[in-house]
Amino acid sequence: MNQTALVTGASSGIGLEIVRQLCGRGLRVFATGRNAGRLNTLRQETGCFAEPFDLALPEAPVALYAAAKAAFGAAPDVVINNAGFNRRKAPVTDLTTAELDEAYAVTIRAAALLSREAMRDMIPRKSGHIINVASTVVWQQVENSSIYCAVKCALHGFTVALIKEARPHGIKVTGVYPGGTDTAFRAIDRPDYMKPESAARMIVDTLFAPADVIVHQLTFRPFVETNF
Ligand SMILES: NC(=O)c1ccc[n+]([C@@H]2O[C@H](COP(=O)([O-])OP(=O)(O)OC[C@H]3O[C@@H](n4cnc5c(N)ncnc54)[C@H](OP(=O)(O)O)[C@@H]3O)[C@@H](O)[C@H]2O)c1
């Protein structure tokens, strides 16, 4: 039974809605992002634990995991690696070292280190659920988003390996591949895209699958993206 969850990228969009829904379904949740003000508002609204961490910093994932463990008084049952971004669209000729490093750090390094910390606690318990939020760009890469496509494909590769390592220990691992969702992810409003609460519901529901079912890969899109 999943009773506690650590959620990254929880100060906005899909992650914020995941926290609302998990709290509404009775889980104790540790929410994180960088924006302390939005996390504080979410804590007041839902009663979750909340603390800011910048996952671009190398020591942040381990410190975050320890903070969540201390808040719960035990290792989390669920870890949702949801933090991510596509800071700008640009051709390969314009890429900078700094944006490559930041995308790697938040999307891959943080998710891998949080998965490592979680697996170390979940293996002896023989239970747990790790969810990694990638994107439909894993299935269809697009121009002018090469870094985003690259790190999400890397997260997919990591997740598939993790699925295979976790299986013998009774630990569930899910890769999530959402299509367009109307969040702060992009500067313009996209009312034709999925609402963040809808994407969150798809993700949260995987935690409530029957015990003998693992959702390995969850792909979903808005109607406007059905031409793939
Ligand atoms: N929206 C879409 O169309 C779409 C489609 C497919 C996949 N996704 C994926 O879904 C996930 C959630 O995205 P969203 O649409 O909800 O976007 P969002 O509203 O922009 O939320 C992104 C979250 O990631 C956090 N974050 C970014 N950089 C961080 C850092 N250095 N350290 C810690 N947290 C950081 C942000 O926190 P702060 O703002 O507090 O820094 C925020 O909570 C992402 O992984 C995204 O790639 C989104």
Side-chain angles (χ1 to χ4, degrees):
M1 175 89 167
N2 294 320
Q3 294 177 330
T4 58
L6 164 58
V7 183
T8 73
S11 56
S12 173
I14 297 169
L16 187 147
E17 294 297 337
I18 289 172
V19 173
R20 283 183 171 146
Q21 292 178 26
L22 289 178
C23 290
R25 292 173 82 155
L27 275 79
R28 297 164 68 220
V29 178
F30 192 102
T32 189
R34 289 175 304 178
N35 189 308
R38 288 203 302 259
L39 289 172
N40 201 32
T41 303
L42 185 62
R43 173 174 39 211
Q44 286 167 0
E45 177 196 326
T46 64
C48 70
F49 298 104
E51 193 176 330
F53 285 89
D54 182 351
L55 294 176
L57 302 174
E59 66 280 4
V62 172
L64 162 61
Y65 187 82
K69 214 169 153 174
F72 294 139
D77 300 318
V78 175
V79 171
I80 303 182
N81 289 305
N82 166 73
F85 53 84
N86 190 9
R87 294 266 185 261
R88 68 182 180 123
K89 295 200 170 182
V92 170
T93 47
D94 284 1
L95 301 187
T96 68
T97 305
E99 62 193 344
L100 272 163
D101 288 348
E102 186 193 15
Y104 160 76
V106 176
T107 307
I108 304 301
R109 188 176 64 200
L113 291 174
L114 283 167
S115 298
R116 182 192 71 188
E117 297 301 295
M119 285 288 282
R120 287 175 176 172
D121 285 329
M122 289 175 178
I123 287 172
R125 280 197 336 237
K126 294 208 160 294
S127 69
H129 197 149
I130 298 171
I131 295 182
N132 292 337
V133 180
S135 165
T136 48
V137 300
V138 169
W139 312 132
Q140 188 178 46
Q141 293 79 49
V142 290
E143 65 273 36
N144 297 319
S145 292
S146 57
I147 297 178
Y148 185 67
C149 292
V151 293
K152 289 299 191 182
C153 285
L155 181 62
H156 166 65
F158 177 83
T159 303
V160 173
L162 185 61
I163 286 169
K164 294 179 179 181
E165 289 188 28
R167 185 188 59 80
H169 303 288
I171 299 161
K172 295 186 177 186
V173 177
T174 303
V176 179
Y177 307 85
T181 309
D182 189 18
T183 67
F185 181 82
R186 53 185 71 72
I188 54 163
D189 288 344
R190 288 299 302 254
D192 52 336
Y193 280 1
M194 296 179 288
K195 297 183 184 70
E197 52 267 44
S198 304
R201 200 171 100 196
M202 297 299 295
I203 295 167
V204 167
D205 280 349
T206 65
L207 295 172
F208 293 89
D212 58 345
V213 173
I214 308 172
V215 180
H216 281 142
Q217 294 176 345
L218 177 68
T219 300
F220 51 92
R221 299 177 173 87
F223 271 99
V224 290
E225 283 184 346
T226 43
N227 295 328
F228 55 89

